[in-house]
């Protein structure tokens, strides 16, 4: 699908961690610390909070082979505690960006984490190569987030388990 000669990317990823939902929720909603473990995110800060809505500013980098592009986004996160987070673009370097994190308790006490997103970059992403690059970026992001959830916020690297491959539709 094309929008103004730019591609719409739809991304789905999921994985399961041993952490309980409360730990997973805290990791996902401690926005100011995301740059500590999300690859290529330089900073993330809360600009405003009103009830279950949070306005967040993020700075990061998209890498394409030998090129890189700085990314700046301001997004609105709508939180449904211990269940889901819906994220929508307010402004920044995307024509369109929306994503959803969903949490599902598992019988063993762990949590299944499901991510879905739709994005249209506001800059050139090279065709089929772009699909592979975005897939790789989402896999790295999801792997890092799941690894962080599988350990306390103040302890280093503990692997996540059962990361499922992403499906990316271009």
């Amino acid at each position: 699908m094309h929008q103004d000669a730019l591609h719409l990317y739809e991304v789905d990823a999921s994985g399961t961690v041993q952490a309980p939902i409360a730990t997973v929720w805290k990791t996902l909603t401690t926005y100011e610390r995301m740059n500590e473990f999300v690859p290529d995110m330089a900073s993330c800060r809360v600009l405003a909070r009103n009830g279950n809505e949070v306005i967040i500013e993020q700075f990061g980098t998209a890498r394409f082979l030998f090129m890189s592009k700085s990314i700046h986004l301001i997004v609105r996160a709508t939180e449904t505690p211990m269940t889901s987070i819906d994220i929508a673009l307010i402004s920044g370097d995307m024509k369109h960006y929306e994503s959803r994190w969903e949490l599902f308790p598992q019988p063993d006490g762990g949590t299944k984490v499901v991510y879905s997103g739709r994005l249209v970059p506001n800059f050139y992403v090279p065709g089929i190569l772009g699909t592979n690059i975005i897939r790789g970026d989402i896999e790295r992001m999801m792997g890092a987030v799941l690894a962080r959830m599988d350990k306390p916020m103040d302890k280093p690297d503990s692997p996540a388990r059962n990361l499922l491959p992403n499906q990316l539709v271009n």
Side-chain angles (χ1 to χ4, degrees):
M1 175 178 194
H2 287 79
Q3 289 184 357
D4 299 327
L6 298 174
H7 290 91
L8 167 70
Y9 297 94
E10 294 179 320
V11 185
D12 297 295
S14 65
T16 301
V17 292
Q18 288 299 304
I21 281 186
T23 300
V24 172
W25 183 258
K26 182 175 181 182
T27 302
L28 286 177
T29 58
T30 305
Y31 304 107
E32 299 86 352
R33 294 187 70 179
M34 287 205 159
N35 63 307
E36 294 175 11
F37 59 94
V38 173
D40 297 324
M41 183 176 290
S43 69
C44 186
R45 68 183 180 117
V46 172
L47 299 178
R49 181 180 283 276
N50 183 12
N52 69 336
E53 287 193 355
V54 186
I55 306 301
I56 303 159
E57 180 179 47
Q58 298 177 331
F59 287 95
T61 304
R63 300 186 191 285
F64 309 105
L65 301 175
F66 54 89
M67 301 178 300
S68 65
K69 165 77 173 134
S70 294
I71 305 284
H72 173 241
L73 298 176
I74 297 179
V75 298
R76 173 181 293 106
T78 304
E79 303 172 345
T80 303
M82 307 298 164
T83 303
S84 65
I85 304 168
D86 290 297
I87 301 171
L89 179 68
I90 295 174
S91 65
D93 296 318
M94 295 282 175
K95 276 195 169 299
H96 179 82
Y97 178 82
E98 64 183 78
S99 64
R100 180 174 177 87
W101 292 89
E102 292 181 278
L103 310 179
F104 300 95
Q106 299 300 291
D108 65 359
T111 304
K112 181 175 182 181
V113 181
V114 177
Y115 172 86
S116 60
R118 294 168 49 93
L119 60 109
V120 178
N122 202 11
F123 49 89
Y124 175 71
V125 177
I128 264 300
L129 183 60
T131 298
N132 292 331
I133 291 168
I134 290 173
R135 177 181 293 121
D137 283 350
I138 296 299
E139 286 174 352
R140 285 185 318 119
M141 181 269 303
M142 188 66 160
V145 170
L146 292 174
R148 180 60 167 236
M149 291 171 184
D150 250 353
K151 66 183 170 91
M153 293 280 276
D154 56 353
K155 286 199 173 173
D157 300 318
S158 164
R161 60 184 185 94
N162 299 333
L163 174 61
L164 301 177
N166 294 305
Q167 301 160 348
L168 186 61
V169 178
N170 182 3

